[in-house]
Amino acid sequence: MLDAAEAAFKIELSHRRAGVDPVSWALAQVNLARIYEARLDITGKDRGERASAALALQAALDVFAEEGLRSFTLIAIDAMERLRIRVVPRDGV
């Protein structure tokens, strides 16, 4: 199910242009990051999900900050903090 959700968000992001509706684009990035975070929780292995989630969250954070959306900025910061403190060994290590 997570693979299907990830694919759906990637398709959605590919059809959206950040310049046209930056907030919707950024929210889709946060949702994609949550998929990566869920996969980390379920598998207990990091196969690049942490970096992918951090990249999506940073992109969203930039948009939220530019738009002055404090509550959404805090959501992205909280998610980044969860990634930072989560201890998940890399696969094969």
Side-chain angles (χ1 to χ4, degrees), residues 21-72:
D21 187 359
V23 175
S24 291
W25 179 86
L27 287 170
Q29 291 284 6
V30 170
N31 289 324
L32 179 60
R34 286 295 296 140
I35 298 298
Y36 293 134
E37 193 176 354
R39 187 174 289 132
L40 282 169
D41 287 342
I42 291 168
T43 66
K45 296 179 182 177
D46 182 2
R47 296 184 179 131
E49 289 88 356
R50 183 189 307 265
S52 296
L55 183 64
L57 289 168
Q58 186 60 57
L61 183 60
D62 291 346
V63 170
F64 296 149
E66 286 175 12
E67 297 290 326
L69 300 170
R70 186 177 189 285
S71 59
F72 287 148

Side-chain angles (χ1 to χ4, degrees), residues 1 17 33 42-43 48 58 81 89 91:
M1 287 306 249
R17 290 184 298 175
I42 291 168
T43 66
Q58 186 60 57
E81 182 65 12
D91 190 32

Side-chain angles (χ1 to χ4, degrees), residues 4-22:
E6 178 185 358
F9 278 110
K10 285 182 173 181
I11 289 168
E12 180 180 345
L13 284 164
S14 73
H15 291 136
R16 290 181 187 257
R17 290 184 298 175
V20 174
D21 187 359

Side-chain angles (χ1 to χ4, degrees), residues 50 54 77-88:
R50 183 189 307 265
I77 289 170
D78 287 347
M80 291 179 88
E81 182 65 12
R82 283 193 308 272
L83 286 175
R84 188 186 70 76
I85 63 174
R86 177 178 281 115
V87 178
V88 178

